[in-house]
Amino acid sequence: MIYRFRIILDVKEDVLRDIEIEETASFEEFHHAITQAFGFLGNEMASFYLSDEQWIQGEELPLEAMDSAQKSYSDQPLNSVFSATQHHLIYIYDFFNLWTFFVELMEVAEPGVGMAYPNLINAQGEVPEEAPEKFFESDTTDTPEEEGIDDQEEEGFDEADFY
C-alpha cells in the first residue's frame, strides 16, 4: 500500500505538497521526500512529533536519538506509527530556523503499476527565503510568586548555597 500525504508549511501563504510514499518507507526516507519536495538540502536536524487533529504537538519521534533512553525513528517504517486513529504529525526541519510542517495522511491506496515512490503529486505555493519567526508562550500566565515560588527562599536552599 501507499500513503498519500498532504504536507503544509506553517507560513501565512498557502505552501503545500502532496506526496505518495510506500507505507513501509522509513521515517528517514520520508524526511528526505519532504525536504526535496520543498527544496531544502535535507542536511539539517529534523524530527517528527505525534499530533492530533487540532495540531497539538505530542511525543517526539526523533530521527536521531540524543541519548540511550531515546529511540530513533530513522529506520522505523511509516506504518509503525500511522494507523486508523493516527493520521497527523508535525515535522520540524532545521532546529535553528524551525521550519514547521503539518503532515496529514489523506489516503491509503494501492500502488500504481510501474510507479516509483516517493512521488510528488501536487505542489502549491513558493517556499519563502527565510523561516517565519516563531514565538513560544507558556501555557500559564502565572508569575513565579503566584505559583508559590519565592525566588529568595526555595525549600532547602538559601542564597549562600549559590556562592
Side-chain angles (χ1 to χ4, degrees):
M1 301 302 282
I2 61 158
Y3 287 160
R4 288 192 181 118
F5 288 101
R6 171 150 292 166
I7 298 114
I8 302 169
L9 179 58
D10 186 19
V11 292
K12 289 181 183 178
E13 304 79 29
D14 289 337
V15 180
L16 63 92
R17 305 292 185 263
D18 293 338
I19 296 174
E20 294 178 326
I21 191 167
E22 295 155 318
E23 68 176 343
T24 56
S26 70
F27 274 88
E28 180 78 21
E29 291 168 312
F30 193 34
H31 154 74
H32 288 297
I34 294 170
T35 56
Q36 288 175 1
F38 283 90
F40 294 107
L41 295 175
N43 59 352
E44 300 292 339
M45 295 283 295
S47 214
F48 291 91
Y49 297 84
L50 294 177
S51 176
D52 60 15
E53 291 181 9
Q54 287 75 43
W55 302 108
I56 305 296
Q57 184 172 319
E59 177 186 349
E60 181 180 17
L61 310 175
L63 291 174
E64 293 185 32
M66 295 299 165
D67 61 45
S68 59
Q70 197 174 39
K71 175 182 177 182
S72 169
Y73 278 78
S74 181
D75 294 331
Q76 295 296 311
L78 295 174
N79 62 9
S80 69
V81 171
F82 287 97
S83 67
T85 58
Q86 179 62 53
H87 293 261
H88 297 82
L89 292 178
I90 295 173
Y91 171 68
I92 308 290
Y93 175 74
D94 185 352
F95 292 143
F96 289 112
N97 291 305
L98 296 175
W99 291 97
T100 304
F101 300 83
F102 303 109
V103 177
E104 182 174 6
L105 176 61
M106 303 296 289
E107 184 179 4
V108 178
E110 292 289 332
V113 177
M115 293 294 298
Y117 299 102
N119 182 26
L120 176 63
I121 58 174
N122 180 38
Q124 179 180 329
E126 297 293 321
V127 176
E129 291 290 320
E130 294 182 9
E133 200 169 331
K134 297 288 181 191
F135 297 98
F136 294 99
E137 297 179 14
S138 173
D139 290 342
T140 180
T141 57
D142 293 342
T143 64
E145 291 78 22
E146 290 169 339
E147 291 179 359
I149 299 172
D150 181 356
D151 56 345
Q152 292 296 319
E153 288 184 31
E154 283 209 32
E155 192 173 314
F157 295 99
D158 62 24
E159 273 188 41
D161 292 335
F162 297 103
Y163 295 104

